[in-house]
Amino acid sequence: MAKHETPLLDQLESGPWPSFVSDLKAQAERRAKNEEGIEFQIPSDTVDDLLGILELSFKHGRTHWKHGGIVGVFGYGGGVIGRYCDQPQAFPGVEHFHTMRVNQPAGKYYTTDYLRTLTKLWDFRGSGITNMHGATGDIILLGTTTPQIEEIFHTLTHDMGQDLGGSGSNLRTPADCLGQSRCEYSCYDTNAMVYFLTNEYQDELHRPAFPYKFKFKLDGCPNCCVASIARSDMSFIGTWRDDIRVDQDAVNKYVENDAAYPANAGAFRGSKDWGPFDLEKEVLGLCPTKCMKFENQKLSIDNANCTRCMHCINVMPRALKIGKETGCSILVGAKAPILDGAQMGSLLVPFVEVNPDNDYEAITEVIENVWDWWMEEGKNRERLGELIMRQGFQKLLEVTGIKAQPQHVQYPRTNPYIFWKEDEVEGGWERDVEEYRKHHQR
Amino acid sequence: MSDLLDNTEEATKAVVAFLEKKSKSKTKFYLKDFYKVFPDDKPRMIKKVVNKMVEREILEYWSSGSTTMYGLKGAGIQHSSEGEE
Ligand code: HEM
Ligand code: HEM
Ligand code: SF4
Ligand code: SF4
């Protein structure tokens, strides 16, 4: 029997989709029965009270959560997010309902043993509710009380070799796609780099350093499976600077509709009858830069005009491959729509080598220059993307010592004015009047 | 690093004095507020020193989840909304 009546929440279960309400009810019941005989360290009816307070919020049309607080583990300024409810008498099970962020492994590879140990810990010392994974990439453990925090941290670090992730004005847990560990499109080893960045910037990850949050996300190729371009202040997207590798025989197999060469690696097979594969329409016609030609059974690509969108490679993976000289592009300033609307990342570094042998020197240099500027100039709670809008992309180029290049230009010639700085003009602003008057009368 | 920031005792005194002076109107501060106390230092160095003061339990963090602020340990309300003391 449910502890609280929840008619408004029940209505949410009536749609065609799986409902979080059903999940929470199942979890509340599981804790009430406690067939495993767990010695719950926080109230066993936490999940009932969570449903109860949510129902009340719907009824009142306002939240009953307070925002923020002082909780954390010793020495860390992030990883734990305090949440308290403002109706503790009616819902004592959620008087404290803190969130813990656990640093997910690179590429999100787990053993089942690890997952069992983690969920067991969370049933014992928390609500048992998890979010795999949060928007930052972390494993999110939702709902525990203040006295449990250090205990959980101890078990995580000492028994599981597991660290917390970032929150607050910290570097957030870097997140990546699975990259070269599984994916043939990957232009660099995202797992290795995410591991390096996580270790290199431990201080920034665990102790607040910035005007606001800062996220790194790493995609092995422009398919952008972790959507780094939209979701991170600094996104590292794999790319290549030589040519797409073309296997002409395989291209012709696709053109001939050979069964062993299904378009899109067969991904849409069975969804509906898409008819025979049409290279002209499905590849050349959809190339965003129209830089491909197919003549006399030969596919040619004007690689200087290819933007590495991945479309042709995705459609014909057996015929086309990423180039051999691989590295990554760095984009900056993506953010959610809190101020000024959502923003995608802007291309800052078109190509940089990804070199673990020199500790990714070329990349950390860009990172640290950007941080120095943002820490100095960023207003409180101003994201990097907002600072770039406020002070200008040109300023960003200046502080990172990067020269303006065509790839930085999205729309040419929308602004007819050029404002030169004195040091960009030969001779500066000074002129020799005597010299001038030799040629021009007063 | 300036002599002031380099000297743990003096740096702590300066930070505590700054926070106490403001304590009537505010108990929670952004990292950036401490830049004024150490005008000759780089933000990255200031951040290191201020975070050490939290470790030594002179200061404490307050976090909304997305933003972190600093205050004297025990000052102000432990959990409240941003901008509300
Ligand atoms: C490379 C040479 C030149 C450049 C780049 C140039 C550029 C410009 C620009 C940008 C403006 C607009 C200024 C504003 O909106 O405030 C302007 C206005 C003007 N220019 Fe030039 N100009 C050039 C040569 C000349 C020459 C040789 C003459 C005449 C002998 C001339 C006559 C004018 C006049 C009369 C205006 C004002 C138009 C108005 O009242 O809106 N310009 N010029
Ligand atoms: C209408 C209600 C809510 C809205 C509009 C809302 C909005 C947001 C937004 C915009 C953020 C991102 C802040 C940032 O990182 O910059 C956030 C983060 C967060 N919220 Fe809420 N929130 C709501 C309710 C709640 C409730 C009820 C809880 C928990 C009891 C909660 C817990 C959190 C936590 C733990 C974070 C940090 C997670 C993260 O940064 O990934 N929120 N919320
Ligand atoms: S982003 Fe590219 S490299 Fe990474 S998993 Fe997706 S397709 Fe593969
Ligand atoms: S990767 Fe994209 S832009 Fe480049 S040739 Fe293929 S479809 Fe065209």
Side-chain angles (χ1 to χ4, degrees):
Chain A
M1 191 40 216
K3 183 174 169 189
H4 305 283
E5 295 277 300
T6 56
L8 295 170
L9 292 184
D10 298 347
Q11 200 274 331
L12 294 179
E13 291 179 287
S14 63
W17 307 282
S19 167
F20 76 98
V21 175
S22 311
D23 286 350
L24 290 179
K25 284 181 179 171
Q27 174 67 355
E29 204 176 298
R30 197 172 143 253
R31 281 172 82 87
K33 286 198 188 128
N34 192 17
E35 280 167 3
E36 290 137 281
I38 302 162
E39 286 177 48
F40 295 125
Q41 299 298 298
I42 73 165
S44 64
D45 56 359
T46 290
V47 186
D48 292 286
D49 282 353
L50 181 66
L51 287 161
I53 198 159
L54 184 56
E55 178 76 14
L56 189 70
S57 293
F58 270 122
K59 211 169 106 190
H60 290 169
R62 65 172 71 98
T63 184
H64 287 291
W65 296 106
K66 304 182 194 184
H67 196 240
I70 298 164
V71 278
V73 296
F74 188 75
Y76 277 28
V80 182
I81 300 156
R83 288 291 182 264
Y84 302 83
C85 93
D86 66 8
Q87 303 293 323
Q89 298 80 8
F91 306 100
V94 289
E95 177 170 7
H96 301 200
F97 197 75
H98 309 320
T99 293
M100 296 187 79
R101 288 207 179 135
V102 177
N103 191 327
Q104 84 289 357
K108 301 195 176 86
Y109 283 103
Y110 298 105
T111 61
T112 50
D113 181 55
Y114 171 91
L115 292 173
R116 281 202 191 90
T117 311
L118 185 73
T119 48
K120 213 164 139 190
L121 169 66
W122 195 238
D123 278 334
F124 176 48
R125 295 199 179 277
S127 70
I129 305 171
T130 65
N131 172 13
M132 304 282 271
H133 300 77
T136 42
D138 302 270
I139 302 165
I140 311 284
L141 303 179
L142 287 155
T144 193
T145 59
T146 308
Q148 295 305 314
I149 304 270
E150 287 287 357
E151 304 283 349
I152 294 162
F153 182 59
H154 189 277
T155 306
L156 286 174
T157 49
H158 290 72
D159 303 346
M160 299 178 67
Q162 176 59 66
D163 202 358
L164 292 182
S167 68
S169 306
N170 298 34
L171 174 64
R172 302 308 182 79
T173 314
D176 60 347
C177 75
L178 28 82
Q180 287 174 341
S181 67
R182 299 280 297 170
C183 183
E184 67 188 54
Y185 299 152
S186 193
C187 300
Y188 69 99
D189 185 345
T190 51
N191 300 165
M193 188 162 128
V194 105
Y195 184 73
F196 172 84
L197 293 174
T198 304
N199 285 315
E200 179 73 7
Y201 297 118
Q202 276 287 293
D203 195 50
E204 284 75 9
L205 183 55
H206 293 311
R207 279 159 286 273
F210 303 128
Y212 202 10
K213 61 179 139 184
F214 195 93
K215 301 178 186 172
F216 287 144
K217 292 196 197 294
L218 292 73
D219 277 302
C221 82
N223 277 334
C224 234
C225 291
V226 298
S228 66
I229 195 171
R231 303 197 304 152
S232 58
D233 299 87
M234 202 172 228
S235 100
F236 304 91
I237 302 178
T239 189
W240 59 94
R241 63 176 161 190
D242 53 346
D243 295 349
I244 293 179
R245 283 175 280 166
V246 185
D247 173 345
Q248 298 292 353
D249 291 341
V251 172
N252 283 293
K253 296 272 197 224
Y254 279 102
V255 173
E256 292 154 17
N257 278 275
D258 185 311
Y261 292 75
N264 303 297
F268 303 112
R269 219 163 21 190
S271 60
K272 74 169 202 188
D273 183 8
W274 293 92
F277 173 66
D278 179 347
L279 181 80
E280 207 50 64
K281 179 164 152 242
E282 293 174 47
V283 181
L284 312 202
L286 295 178
C287 167
T289 59
K290 302 282 181 283
C291 68
M292 309 177 89
K293 269 199 312 228
F294 187 66
E295 284 166 352
N296 306 323
Q297 296 175 350
K298 191 166 174 286
L299 182 74
S300 52
I301 301 175
D302 172 8
N303 280 277
N305 279 310
C306 157
T307 52
R308 278 79 175 141
C309 81
M310 294 297 292
H311 174 69
C312 57
I313 300 176
N314 291 332
V315 175
M316 306 193 294
R318 293 191 69 177
L320 303 179
K321 287 195 166 51
I322 59 170
K324 280 187 165 161
E325 263 181 70
T326 57
C328 77
S329 302
I330 304 179
L331 289 84
V332 289
K335 64 177 201 70
I338 298 187
L339 291 180
D340 290 333
Q343 209 171 296
M344 299 279 263
S346 304
L347 181 66
L348 176 63
V349 182
F351 184 91
V352 62
E353 70 158 3
V354 178
N355 187 354
D357 297 335
N358 65 13
D359 285 345
Y360 305 92
E361 198 174 78
I363 290 171
T364 54
E365 189 193 327
V366 178
I367 293 173
E368 287 165 31
N369 282 336
V370 166
W371 279 354
D372 283 345
W373 176 54
W374 181 50
M375 288 175 75
E376 190 84 51
E377 296 290 326
K379 294 184 191 172
N380 293 321
R381 314 198 58 165
E382 182 174 56
R383 291 287 285 274
L384 176 63
E386 290 149 8
L387 175 62
I388 295 170
M389 293 229 280
R390 184 162 62 85
Q391 293 201 349
F393 196 81
Q394 229 172 339
K395 182 77 194 172
L396 175 68
L397 291 177
E398 201 179 300
V399 299
T400 48
I402 294 169
K403 277 207 147 131
Q405 39 203 302
Q407 289 94 333
H408 290 135
V409 180
Q410 191 168 14
Y411 301 103
R413 300 183 188 189
T414 53
N415 181 344
Y417 298 99
I418 296 169
F419 293 96
W420 301 94
K421 293 206 188 70
E422 187 165 5
D423 60 2
E424 291 168 331
V425 178
E426 207 181 325
W429 296 158
E430 298 301 317
R431 68 168 182 178
D432 181 345
V433 178
E434 304 278 298
E435 179 63 26
Y436 181 77
R437 287 294 162 226
K438 283 188 196 157
H439 307 286
H440 308 284
Q441 302 176 22
R442 269 181 88 98
Chain B
M1 205 188 313
S2 70
D3 291 345
L4 177 59
L5 193 65
D6 200 26
N7 182 328
T8 309
E9 206 175 307
E10 288 303 312
T12 309
K13 260 197 221 155
V15 165
V16 172
F18 169 77
L19 294 180
E20 281 175 344
K21 202 172 90 201
K22 301 251 176 179
S23 68
K24 287 222 175 56
S25 56
K26 261 196 336 186
T27 60
K28 299 188 180 68
F29 297 83
Y30 290 105
L31 180 62
K32 212 171 162 127
D33 296 327
F34 299 109
Y35 293 4
K36 297 187 210 71
V37 183
F38 306 102
D40 303 326
D41 291 286
K42 284 260 159 219
R44 277 184 106 179
M45 296 314 295
I46 300 173
K47 160 215 109 180
K48 284 213 165 81
V49 171
V50 172
N51 283 332
K52 272 274 176 294
M53 293 180 197
V54 177
E55 231 163 89
R56 286 169 35 233
E57 305 196 51
I58 294 154
L59 307 182
E60 69 190 354
Y61 298 121
W62 181 94
S63 174
S64 71
S66 56
T67 317
T68 313
M69 302 182 84
Y70 299 78
L72 284 170
K73 194 170 171 74
I77 293 171
Q78 301 284 299
H79 45 90
S80 66
S81 292
E82 277 163 286
E84 180 193 7
E85 298 295 341

